Amino acid sequence: YFIQSNLRMVFYFKTVVAGREYTLYMGRDKMENEDLLRWGFPEDVWFHVDKLSSAHVYLRLNKGEGLEDIPKDLVEQCCQLVKANSIQGCKLANVDIVYTPYPN
């Protein structure tokens, strides 16, 4: 017995940085990236390789945190995820990564 569904799941990861737990969400393809865009939360921060196709990574901040509170190691993790999941970007030595609060 099998039920086919049109629902898709995006990847998510848990990480602990500087003693705080965070959840990262990542779309594998255009459809999942669009799902992330549609269902983001105000406390999400969106990461993407600038001017190249790449996975979208959303960092879910903890209550009361803003961009200035994100540990540098966590920013690095998110940047590495989007670069590694960019067909063109993963082949380049350097890429620019854009990150911004979700509602922007």
Side-chain angles (χ1 to χ4, degrees):
Y1 179 61
F2 178 75
I3 298 175
Q4 186 172 0
S5 172
N6 290 332
L7 297 175
R8 294 178 295 275
M9 285 286 286
V10 297
F11 287 116
Y12 74 94
F13 309 88
K14 295 277 188 179
T15 187
V16 177
V17 179
R20 295 178 290 194
E21 183 176 277
Y22 293 92
T23 303
L24 306 171
Y25 297 91
M26 185 176 80
R28 281 185 293 199
D29 57 28
K30 181 180 178 180
M31 298 296 283
E32 289 183 2
N33 286 345
E34 289 177 8
D35 284 344
L36 286 170
L37 286 169
R38 187 172 346 136
W39 300 108
F41 282 46
E43 59 269 16
D44 289 347
V45 178
W46 174 63
F47 288 77
H48 189 271
V49 175
D50 194 27
K51 299 181 180 142
L52 295 174
S53 174
S54 77
H56 290 190
V57 170
Y58 281 71
L59 164 64
R60 175 90 20 102
L61 295 178
N62 296 311
K63 294 269 186 208
E65 291 182 329
L67 285 177
E68 64 283 347
D69 300 311
I70 304 171
K72 290 182 191 223
D73 289 346
L74 185 54
V75 171
E76 179 70 25
Q77 285 181 28
C78 294
C79 290
Q80 290 296 335
L81 270 174
V82 294
K83 182 182 185 303
N85 288 282
S86 170
I87 293 169
Q88 296 164 301
C90 71
K91 298 172 188 164
L92 301 172
N94 295 301
V95 295
D96 291 325
I97 308 290
V98 175
Y99 67 101
T100 184
Y102 161 74
N104 282 347

